[in-house]
């Protein structure tokens, strides 16, 4: 069995250091908003190259509170994509706003920047691009559009910690960046965790208040907030892991390059495209193949932990039925959700395992192709 990700292997490399820090927290008696939380916020802001970072309890809350901090709510529209995890539009729905879907660029799976302006209306308040699978969006074009139309930009960088566009880390271009530290992420904690980034002192303070029941001062509440604090144990774990993220991302890129080499002569397997001026961190290594569902089934039978992210685009999900959107609205999105397959990808995967994955995938693609032609 070769899993899609193996967290145990990462633990084997940093576990002793993590355990020491966790025990220190347990012995300290300080479990919420303590020294580790504050230090982590400072350290990750420095790593990302932004003025402020506010730690939260999930990437979903990061998106939710980003929208709240920008006063986006009922009657407002937010331009985004349907090819992403539901948390992106879930956050939009939580604040009462409406997602307006733009099709994707089939080469990157990210928002097609050439279609954004056609979706802008007087109700549009923000653009919410998703750096899917660790691949950066074209932030130059997005920021230019936002500036000309006086729109906010909220970056969903939940899969893209450390990714760069033109040498600048994603999550630091827009008004607010949002990150997730779910255990399977490139920088994952051992529970839930999230983060918002901003260069605005006002937005930082607003999100700090929102994460703590809507008040900047204890027992004084200015608005309806939530309880979304990153606990000290998770902050301590993230501080340890943050020291290794550049190394882990570099290894992911090396593994992606090796996969590319293994598949270079296989016409039925389309490998990921990395655009000029970008530094992709390969949260997922995602190929496009014919007969995807059959191939996926065959891989599972052979112990290859491939995954489909995401089989049904959000505009066709029941949660968004109220929008009245029909199949055919987003042709590139709809086509690619039927083709994509993510292969095992984590820093500790071996070349031998990659060769096994590649050999098995090639065999399964051929088998599925023959079956389909009968």
């Amino acid at each position: 069995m070769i899993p899609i990700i193996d967290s145990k292997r990462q633990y084997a490399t940093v576990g002793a250091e993590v355990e020491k820090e966790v025990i220190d927290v347990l012995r300290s008696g300080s479990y919420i908003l303590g020294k580790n939380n504050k230090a982590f916020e400072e350290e990750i802001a420095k790593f990302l190259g932004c003025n402020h970072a506010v730690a939260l309890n999930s990437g979903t809350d990061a998106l939710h509170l980003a929208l709240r901090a920008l006063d986006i709510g009922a009657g407002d529209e937010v331009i985004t994509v349907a090819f992403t995890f539901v948390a992106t539009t879930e956050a939009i729905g939580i604040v009462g706003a409406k997602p307006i879907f733009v099709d994707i660029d089939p080469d990157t799976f990210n928002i097609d920047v050439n279609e954004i302006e056609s979706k802008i209306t007087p109700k549009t308040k923000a653009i919410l691009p998703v750096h899917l699978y660790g691949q950066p969006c074209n932030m130059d074009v997005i920021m230019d559009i936002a500036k000309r139309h006086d729109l906010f930009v909220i970056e969903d960088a939940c899969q893209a910690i450390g990714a760069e566009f033109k040498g600048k880390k994603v999550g630091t271009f827009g008004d607010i960046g949002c990150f997730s530290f779910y255990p399977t992420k490139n920088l994952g904690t051992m529970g839930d965790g999230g983060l918002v980034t901003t260069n605005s002192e006002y937005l930082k303070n607003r999100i700090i208040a929102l994460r703590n029941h809507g008040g900047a001062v204890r027992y004084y509440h200015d608005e309806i907030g939530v309880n979304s604090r990153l606990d000290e144990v998770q902050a301590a774990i993230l501080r340890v892991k943050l020291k290794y993220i550049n190394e882990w991302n570099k290894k992911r890129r090396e593994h992606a390059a090796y996969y590319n080499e293994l598949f270079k002569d296989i016409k039925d397997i389309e490998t990921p495209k990395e655009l000029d001026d970008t530094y992709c961190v390969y949260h997922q290594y995602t190929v496009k193949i014919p007969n995807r569902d059959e191939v996926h089934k065959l891989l599972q039978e052979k112990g290859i932990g491939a995954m489909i992210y995401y089989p049904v685009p959000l505009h066709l999900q029941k949660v968004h039925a109220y929008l009245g959107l029909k199949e055919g609205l987003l042709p590139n999105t709809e086509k690619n959700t039927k083709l994509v397959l993510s292969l095992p990808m984590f820093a500790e995967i071996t070349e031998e395992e990659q060769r096994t994955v590649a050999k098995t995938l090639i065999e399964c693609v051929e088998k599925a192709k023959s079956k389909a032609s009968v």
Side-chain angles (χ1 to χ4, degrees):
M1 173 69 181
I2 302 175
I4 187 78
I5 184 172
D6 190 344
S7 299
K8 291 181 180 179
R9 295 194 210 180
Q10 185 185 90
Y11 188 76
T13 66
V14 300
E17 193 175 354
V18 165
E19 288 174 9
K20 178 184 179 301
E21 296 303 322
V22 169
I23 289 171
D24 284 349
V25 172
L26 298 180
R27 289 172 174 168
S28 74
S30 176
Y31 306 136
I32 300 291
L33 297 180
K35 66 176 185 179
N36 281 290
N37 192 291
K38 179 175 172 51
F40 174 64
E41 290 175 339
E42 293 172 352
E43 290 160 5
I44 200 163
K46 183 178 179 180
F47 167 75
L48 292 168
C50 60
N51 290 345
H52 310 291
V54 181
L56 305 168
N57 73 2
S58 70
T60 305
D61 269 4
L63 292 159
H64 168 209
L65 297 188
L67 292 159
R68 284 283 309 278
L70 294 169
D71 293 317
I72 294 170
D76 295 333
E77 295 177 349
V78 178
I79 293 173
T80 190
V81 289
F83 196 172
T84 180
F85 184 57
V86 70
T88 306
T89 53
E90 187 174 48
I92 295 169
I94 287 171
V95 300
K98 179 181 177 181
I100 301 298
F101 295 112
V102 170
D103 210 352
I104 60 166
D105 175 346
D107 287 338
T108 65
F109 309 118
N110 287 335
I111 192 167
D112 186 341
V113 294
N114 297 310
E115 292 195 11
I116 294 175
E117 285 194 274
S118 67
K119 302 290 185 176
I120 295 173
T121 74
K123 295 181 180 180
T124 307
K125 290 295 178 69
I127 306 171
L128 204 169
V130 181
H131 304 288
L132 197 72
Y133 302 149
Q135 174 78 265
C137 297
N138 187 331
M139 293 309 300
D140 277 355
V141 176
I142 292 169
M143 295 307 298
D144 177 66
I145 293 170
K147 183 177 180 180
R148 287 189 285 106
H149 292 273
D150 194 25
L151 302 175
F152 296 118
V153 174
I154 302 166
E155 293 177 72
D156 183 339
C158 288
Q159 298 184 4
I161 185 80
E164 298 178 4
F165 178 74
K166 293 187 175 180
K168 182 177 179 179
K169 288 185 171 58
V170 301
T172 65
F173 288 85
D175 297 276
I176 299 178
C178 302
F179 295 85
S180 169
F181 303 125
Y182 187 75
T184 60
K185 297 299 169 69
N186 293 33
L187 179 62
T189 190
M190 296 172 183
D192 275 315
L195 186 87
V196 293
T197 52
T198 183
N199 289 319
S200 163
E201 183 83 14
Y202 166 78
L203 291 176
K204 178 200 75 169
N205 290 333
R206 182 87 190 277
I207 291 168
I208 286 174
L210 285 168
R211 78 173 176 184
N212 198 27
H213 301 287
V217 179
R218 193 173 187 182
Y219 301 129
Y220 291 83
H221 309 281
D222 303 316
E223 59 182 319
I224 298 295
V226 298
N227 179 2
S228 183
R229 302 172 301 228
L230 182 72
D231 69 68
E232 277 290 284
V233 169
Q234 304 304 334
I237 293 167
L238 287 166
R239 290 187 69 197
V240 172
K241 290 190 172 187
L242 182 59
K243 294 184 287 186
Y244 299 94
I245 188 60
N246 282 333
E247 176 187 344
W248 291 337
N249 281 344
K250 181 174 180 290
K251 287 182 177 178
R252 284 174 177 265
R253 289 178 55 79
E254 291 170 356
H255 300 327
Y258 191 50
Y259 270 140
N260 290 344
E261 181 67 21
L262 293 170
F263 296 129
K264 69 177 182 179
D265 297 322
I266 311 301
K267 66 178 183 178
D268 285 329
I269 299 176
E270 185 176 338
T271 56
K273 294 180 174 63
E274 187 169 350
L275 303 184
D276 293 340
D277 298 321
T278 64
Y279 185 91
C280 179
V281 295
Y282 293 98
H283 172 59
Q284 301 294 343
Y285 180 89
T286 303
V287 298
K288 294 196 278 190
I289 55 173
N291 308 304
R292 190 272 315 279
D293 290 345
E294 178 64 19
V295 172
H296 184 225
K297 178 183 175 182
L298 292 171
L299 287 172
Q300 288 179 313
E301 291 172 356
K302 293 179 178 292
I304 303 299
M307 292 286 290
I308 300 170
Y309 304 105
Y310 300 93
V312 181
L314 294 179
H315 70 296
L316 301 180
Q317 295 266 7
K318 184 177 180 180
V319 67
H320 293 308
Y322 73 96
L323 296 172
L325 304 177
K326 303 298 183 183
E327 192 168 355
L329 177 69
L330 305 172
N332 286 329
T333 297
E334 293 163 23
K335 178 181 178 181
N336 281 274
T337 55
K338 295 178 174 66
L339 297 174
V340 293
L341 188 68
S342 296
L343 305 182
M345 170 57 78
F346 47 96
E348 300 80 14
I349 194 171
T350 67
E351 287 191 352
E352 181 181 359
E353 287 174 318
Q354 287 190 269
R355 288 192 293 270
T356 299
V357 170
K359 180 176 181 292
T360 308
L361 177 60
I362 292 166
E363 290 172 354
C364 290
V365 167
E366 285 301 313
K367 185 174 181 179
K369 186 177 180 180
S370 297
K371 186 176 179 180
S373 64
V374 173

